[in-house]
Amino acid sequence: MASLPLSPLSSLAGKRLLLGISAGIAAYKSALIVRLLKQAGCEVRVVMTEGAQAFITPLTLQALSGEPVRTSLLDPEAEAGMGHIELARWADAILIAPATADLMARLVHGMADDLLTTLCLASDAPKLMAPAMNQAMWRHPATQRNVAQLAADGWQLIGPAAGDQACGDVGPGRMSEPEAVVNAVAHHFKPTTLAQPSAPHIVITAGPTREALDPVRYLSNHSSGKMGYALAAQATAQGARVTLISGPVNLPTPQGVERIDVETAAQMHQEALRLAPQAAMFIGCAAVADYRAASAAEHKIKKTDDSNTLTLTLVKNPDIIADVAALPASTRPFVVGFAAETQDLAHYAEDKLTRKGLDMIVANDVSQQGQGFGSDDNAALLLWRAPSGTEQLAAPHQTKNQLATLIIHQALSLLSTPLLEL
Ligand code: PMT
């Protein structure tokens, strides 16, 4: 696999970071985050919620950051030093680690009921958070709605990781390790442009394919390309270098995206296998025709008077994503497929995840009105392989742009976590 490079921490030198800590058991990891940030030359100021102080003392963080720790909005002494608006302006970025489900919900609603939420509202600085909570809380539709809204509001989510939890459960929700959090912040400060070789390269297929029957007719489907184009736009927004292999659609190319137009499954297959071995990630969102005519007629097929039927012989197209997933380990990217289903989403998606050898799959119910083919909205079930088995995340009905943010975020964190946490 063409690897996602480890972010050198040099981009953190001289940066001013406001670290918010909320009330989760993972707060003990925040001390190491402060230490790593300071070692990288970052100026760190810590703000703690009231609950966070039950898990780790302000004194520990004061000693590590070398700065007084702020805990209250209504502290005249602290306000006499650097007032909260000044503090909000001071920050080059805000990082919240850990971010609890409660804090995320409050941020979604624009609450300003303590110092940390007030600073988040008052600051224009880029914002990152590392969620941490019990796996059932993370999977809950309310939290997932909040995740989608926070991503849409511009928050960059780091993790969460999956695995053993402090409460004894196993699953997604554990805060990413401090090294991974600090790497993600450093990565954020690195300028990412199309030309930057260190940005992960993501290859995405989108739209339908067209399989000619004769010079004027073809087999195809209703894919508009909207889901794949939203993925390309969001992946670019999250810092990736994106190549879009597109079937015939009526959509403008998202800014900063390299687009390759194809028509048939065979052409898409050829481009995918040319590009995938150099990519960090491959996402197959295209609705590829499973079959094509055994031989397309050279001239228009004529209607005949002697028969009411026309028999076509179709042959199977190559399975593009399965072939990408079967690349040798040294060149194989992280592979994300889609599953267009009309029933029993989880069962069929898990079957495709295994059968096609994918790392993650996004299953959408294309029988529902207002989502799937052609619409601006979608809902999906994300499934991915984890050491403990298959993990899943239900993403409720939302715009394709919002869903794309969530999919890219999840895929990038699965791709980068093991590398970053080395
Ligand atoms: O384009 P939109 O109008 O926005 O609609 C979005 C969508 C519904 C097309 C999209 O969300 C979606 O579900 N895309 C996958 C459609 C599909 O072909 O699903 P499938 O279950 O038949 O295929 C499973 C996976 O195998 C997909 O990743 C597909 O790209 C891939 N595949 C399928 C056949 C084939 N010959 N080669 C493949 O790579």
Side-chain angles (χ1 to χ4, degrees):
M1 178 172 82
S3 65
L4 177 65
L6 290 178
S7 309
L9 300 185
S10 57
S11 62
L12 290 171
K15 292 289 185 300
R16 296 185 298 208
L17 197 93
L18 191 69
L19 173 66
I21 304 177
S22 62
I25 179 63
Y28 78 92
K29 295 184 184 173
S30 310
L32 187 50
I33 291 178
V34 175
R35 204 153 159 254
L36 292 169
L37 289 167
K38 290 289 289 179
Q39 278 171 352
C42 206
E43 263 188 79
V44 184
R45 296 197 179 223
V46 178
V47 172
M48 300 176 75
T49 64
E50 194 182 338
Q53 297 164 62
F55 292 94
I56 183 167
T57 67
L59 195 60
T60 304
L61 296 152
Q62 180 173 319
L64 290 168
S65 67
E67 298 287 344
V69 171
R70 297 282 305 263
T71 54
S72 168
L73 184 58
L74 308 171
D75 178 349
E77 210 175 297
E79 286 292 310
M82 191 187 272
H84 66 276
I85 296 293
E86 223 177 323
L87 191 54
R89 289 192 189 126
W90 170 87
D92 291 324
I94 295 180
L95 166 69
I96 303 183
T100 59
D102 171 70
L103 182 70
M104 290 167 74
R106 286 191 290 134
L107 289 169
V108 161
H109 290 283
M111 309 268 291
D113 53 353
D114 63 9
L115 179 60
L116 183 53
T117 49
T118 305
L119 288 168
C120 290
L121 265 192
S123 171
D124 291 332
K127 300 181 184 76
L128 302 93
M129 68 166 65
M133 65 199 73
N134 162 269
Q135 53 84 22
M137 293 170 75
W138 172 254
R139 291 183 210 264
H140 195 283
T143 304
Q144 289 309 310
R145 279 196 300 277
N146 292 340
V147 167
Q149 188 56 53
L150 287 165
D153 289 349
W155 281 88
Q156 185 188 327
L157 274 72
I158 306 162
D164 292 337
Q165 302 204 296
C167 56
D169 280 6
V170 178
R174 207 177 65 175
M175 190 170 96
S176 294
E177 292 305 315
E179 292 81 357
V181 174
V182 172
N183 268 315
V185 179
H187 191 72
H188 170 84
F189 279 121
K190 286 201 314 180
T192 49
T193 65
L194 195 64
Q196 190 187 334
S198 63
H201 183 201
I202 302 185
V203 176
I204 301 174
T205 67
T209 64
R210 275 184 193 167
E211 313 297 330
L213 297 176
D214 67 16
V216 297
R217 303 182 181 94
Y218 54 80
L219 290 173
S220 192
N221 57 63
H222 294 294
S223 172
S224 63
K226 286 179 185 172
M227 189 69 242
Y229 276 56
L231 288 165
Q234 296 309 321
T236 308
Q238 292 189 38
R241 183 166 70 85
V242 176
T243 305
L244 185 58
I245 307 174
S246 176
V249 298
N250 267 323
L251 294 172
T253 309
Q255 210 176 2
V257 168
E258 180 199 12
R259 170 170 163 180
I260 296 170
D261 287 318
V262 295
E263 193 155 311
T264 64
Q267 291 164 354
M268 190 173 272
H269 184 250
Q270 189 183 341
E271 288 302 321
L273 287 173
R274 181 175 70 81
L275 292 165
Q278 282 86 46
M281 187 184 295
F282 180 89
I283 306 179
C285 183
V288 184
D290 285 323
Y291 292 90
R292 66 178 187 278
S295 61
E298 196 184 334
H299 299 289
K300 186 178 172 196
I301 301 169
K302 293 287 178 207
K303 190 162 66 176
T304 54
D305 290 337
D306 52 347
S307 170
N308 285 330
T309 60
L310 170 71
T311 303
L312 294 169
T313 304
L314 303 179
V315 293
K316 246 191 193 156
N317 270 326
D319 192 319
I320 300 170
I321 204 155
D323 286 353
V324 170
L327 284 169
S330 56
T331 56
R332 183 190 182 279
F334 185 88
V335 185
V336 181
F338 269 69
E341 306 295 345
T342 54
Q343 57 174 336
D344 215 351
L345 238 58
H347 173 72
Y348 288 118
E350 183 148 14
D351 175 60
K352 276 180 187 158
L353 182 72
T354 311
R355 201 160 32 83
K356 296 191 182 223
L358 314 178
D359 301 301
M360 177 175 148
I361 195 158
V362 179
N364 42 190
D365 186 341
V366 291
S367 68
Q368 298 289 321
Q369 283 282 330
Q371 66 180 56
F373 286 104
S375 93
D376 289 334
D377 294 349
N378 211 356
L381 184 67
L382 280 54
L383 291 99
W384 63 91
R385 294 167 191 271
S388 51
T390 307
E391 302 276 356
Q392 54 172 270
L393 185 65
H397 190 102
Q398 54 199 292
T399 66
K400 283 184 175 167
N401 278 331
Q402 285 172 323
L403 181 61
T405 307
L406 188 68
I407 293 168
I408 296 294
H409 164 72
Q410 182 60 37
L412 277 177
S413 64
L414 289 173
L415 166 70
S416 63
T417 301
L419 289 170
L420 295 169
E421 285 185 1
L422 277 175

